[in-house]
Amino acid sequence: MQLRYAFRLYPDAGQRTALARAFGCARVVFNDAVRAREDARKAGRPFPTAGQLSRKLITEAKRTKERSWLGEVSAVVLQQSLRDAEAAYRNFFSSLNGTRKGPRTGPPRFKSRKDARQSVRFTANARWSITGSGRLSLPKIGAVKVKWSRMLPAAPTSVTVVMDAVGRYFASFVIDTDPVADRARMPETDRTIGIDLGLTHFAVLSTGEKIGSPRFLRRAEKKLKKAQRELSRKQKGSRNRAKARLKVARAHAKVADARREFHHQLSTRLISENQGIAVEDLSVAGLARTRLAKSVHDAGWSSFISMLTYKAARYGRTLVKIGRFTPTSQTCCTCGAVDGPKPLDVREWTCAACGAVHDRDVNAAINVKTAAGLAVSACGAPVRPGAVPAQREETGSHGFPTGNRAA
Ligand SMILES: [Zn+2]
């Protein structure tokens, strides 16, 4: 399995100039490749092959006056940019003919120096390395200072250098994980858990634990709100407004970082503690949003689920996603009776059938776990997932097996 590890980079002035040059050259080669294919399409000619493009847009272009500066950056960066253009076309075509899942991908568009994200990629043969003093040495750029915020678990196979919208630099390393080391890091357990997207909390667990945003995320969000308020008070077109806008962009980036960090911490903890994890799948597109208040969290929830998904695959855990029409908040987790929809402000309710009193979110989390087939049966043996497929639609009065209340 391949994973990405990103670290902040601090290039000096000369290195920033060299990186800007590399970003620019990579962009030009990418755009030339898109243009070459567009021209071929318009003229009704077959698409040029990767080899032809490489010869024409890199090797020969370097000898022309207009493109001679391509020689100032590492050739691997340019080759990689061509490959990226190829991949963009491949994704577009497989999206067109339906072999690619997910949302429709548009045709590759031209890159601009104004794009929020600039990047160049160095593959294994690009002669980049990590120096003895912990710097990232890049061909024709130099040894760049890195802030190593965590350990790299293995030697990386490639690195992408990125500059984001607020001018921060990052190195994103690709690592092949080691299954043996991973298994040693997270030994098997027989615990399972259901997670519900809480109304007042980020997540509620079937154990009854409610998880809210951590303080560092709340603080970053507060700063962002303050920066946005300040921006709205600045006069249009003024220099102070431009400054305030940059401040908002920086605060946005901080919130995004803090949220990602929170999702990482929580997903790692849940994966480490549990063998089976059940979540609601909110990614089903085009469904009516019956739980409006929750949709506010949807964006954060889906990135959290994708972290859980890859970590589950990495550490041999079972992640079960249940359909969003499963009536988790309407069903009594004790007796299985379906009690009907409840207004969003109802935090606690009593089952009319068996008299059990439920916290709305905890009851839902237990139902998520049950619906996924992760509940522990009466005799204590864990019920293996797979036997109970994710429910896709509301069924009659018995949406859930009865009696196997989660442990
Ligand atoms: Zn009941």
Side-chain angles (χ1 to χ4, degrees):
M1 181 178 198
Q2 287 199 323
L3 286 182
R4 286 190 168 279
Y5 282 73
F7 300 92
R8 187 86 185 264
L9 289 179
Y10 296 93
D12 63 27
Q15 293 166 345
R16 284 199 297 273
T17 309
L19 278 168
R21 199 182 296 134
F23 293 145
C25 289
R27 211 163 51 219
V28 163
V29 168
F30 184 94
N31 288 346
D32 284 350
V34 172
R35 198 169 295 116
R37 296 193 70 142
E38 274 300 294
D39 289 348
R41 188 183 62 83
K42 279 187 195 136
R45 283 182 277 119
F47 284 136
T49 65
Q52 286 167 340
L53 286 179
S54 167
R55 210 174 319 121
K56 187 154 175 285
L57 304 180
I58 299 176
T59 320
E60 287 171 17
K62 276 183 195 171
R63 293 190 207 114
T64 66
K65 227 166 105 190
E66 298 78 40
R67 294 277 187 268
S68 61
W69 33 263
L70 287 178
E72 292 171 21
V73 308
S74 162
V76 183
V77 164
L78 306 178
Q79 291 291 353
Q80 205 52 54
S81 198
L82 270 189
R83 250 172 250 144
D84 290 346
E86 288 290 307
Y89 272 104
R90 252 197 322 276
N91 290 343
F92 170 52
F93 289 128
S94 55
S95 175
L96 272 186
N97 66 26
T99 48
R100 185 186 161 88
K101 282 184 196 151
R104 270 280 169 91
T105 320
R109 48 172 203 90
F110 290 114
K111 294 191 180 201
S112 155
R113 73 171 72 227
K114 287 181 183 149
D115 287 348
R117 185 181 181 276
Q118 304 283 339
S119 69
V120 280
R121 191 138 41 124
F122 298 87
T123 44
N125 58 357
R127 288 186 296 278
W128 62 272
S129 62
I130 296 161
T131 67
S133 59
R135 284 176 176 246
L136 174 63
S137 169
L138 299 167
K140 299 206 179 178
I141 288 163
V144 184
K145 200 175 146 196
V146 186
K147 188 183 171 199
W148 298 104
S149 43
R150 51 183 171 156
M151 291 283 288
L152 277 177
T157 53
S158 80
V159 60
T160 304
V161 176
V162 180
M163 188 181 77
D164 72 5
V166 286
R168 300 180 306 174
Y169 295 82
F170 296 90
S172 173
F173 294 97
V174 174
I175 304 273
D176 289 311
T177 58
D178 174 359
V180 178
D182 286 347
R183 226 165 296 141
R185 198 177 146 207
M186 293 203 186
E188 271 196 42
T189 154
D190 52 13
R191 268 184 298 189
T192 58
I193 204 157
I195 314 171
D196 185 64
L197 183 53
L199 288 175
T200 51
H201 294 80
F202 174 74
V204 176
L205 309 183
S206 53
T207 54
E209 185 184 341
K210 298 180 176 184
I211 298 164
S213 315
R215 194 207 295 258
F216 64 85
L217 174 54
R218 289 202 308 270
R219 204 183 302 141
E221 285 169 339
K222 226 166 150 183
K223 274 196 178 147
L224 173 60
K225 279 215 186 85
K226 193 174 155 226
Q228 280 167 331
R229 263 199 314 273
E230 275 166 16
L231 172 63
S232 69
R233 281 199 295 263
K234 299 284 186 273
Q235 210 162 16
K236 276 206 175 117
S238 72
R239 266 180 59 158
N240 277 337
R241 190 181 167 86
K243 263 193 227 157
R245 194 180 294 121
L246 190 64
K247 218 172 164 187
V248 167
R250 283 210 191 99
H252 253 300
K254 284 245 166 69
V255 168
D257 289 352
R259 188 168 290 144
R260 196 177 311 119
E261 182 57 31
F262 164 50
H263 290 167
H264 264 305
Q265 286 176 2
L266 181 59
S267 55
T268 298
R269 189 200 122 190
L270 293 171
I271 289 285
S272 135
E273 289 174 353
N274 299 283
Q275 193 65 32
I277 297 109
V279 291
E280 278 183 298
D281 184 11
L282 302 185
S283 67
V284 189
L287 293 180
R289 293 183 180 281
T290 45
R291 302 158 89 182
L292 270 183
K294 287 195 171 191
S295 68
V296 181
H297 300 302
D298 280 9
W301 186 249
S302 72
S303 82
F304 175 67
I305 299 296
S306 61
M307 277 185 199
L308 278 179
T309 307
Y310 87 74
K311 287 178 187 179
R314 179 176 179 189
Y315 295 106
R317 303 317 208 206
T318 304
L319 180 75
V320 185
K321 298 175 190 173
I322 67 154
R324 82 185 289 171
F325 274 149
T326 307
T328 50
S329 51
Q330 304 175 18
T331 306
C332 169
C333 68
T334 311
C335 74
V338 177
D339 209 56
K342 288 158 194 50
L344 291 174
D345 59 341
V346 173
R347 311 296 320 137
E348 210 177 76
W349 54 283
T350 306
C351 173
C354 74
V357 181
H358 297 300
D359 173 287
R360 179 199 186 101
D361 294 333
V362 175
N363 174 68
I366 293 169
N367 284 333
V368 166
K369 180 172 162 174
T370 310
L374 288 177
V376 174
S377 67
C379 62
V383 179
R384 282 284 156 205
V388 183
Q391 274 176 278
R392 284 282 157 216
E393 53 197 341
E394 281 194 41
T395 48
S397 60
H398 272 292
F400 298 96
T402 53
N404 52 352
R405 166 137 196 196

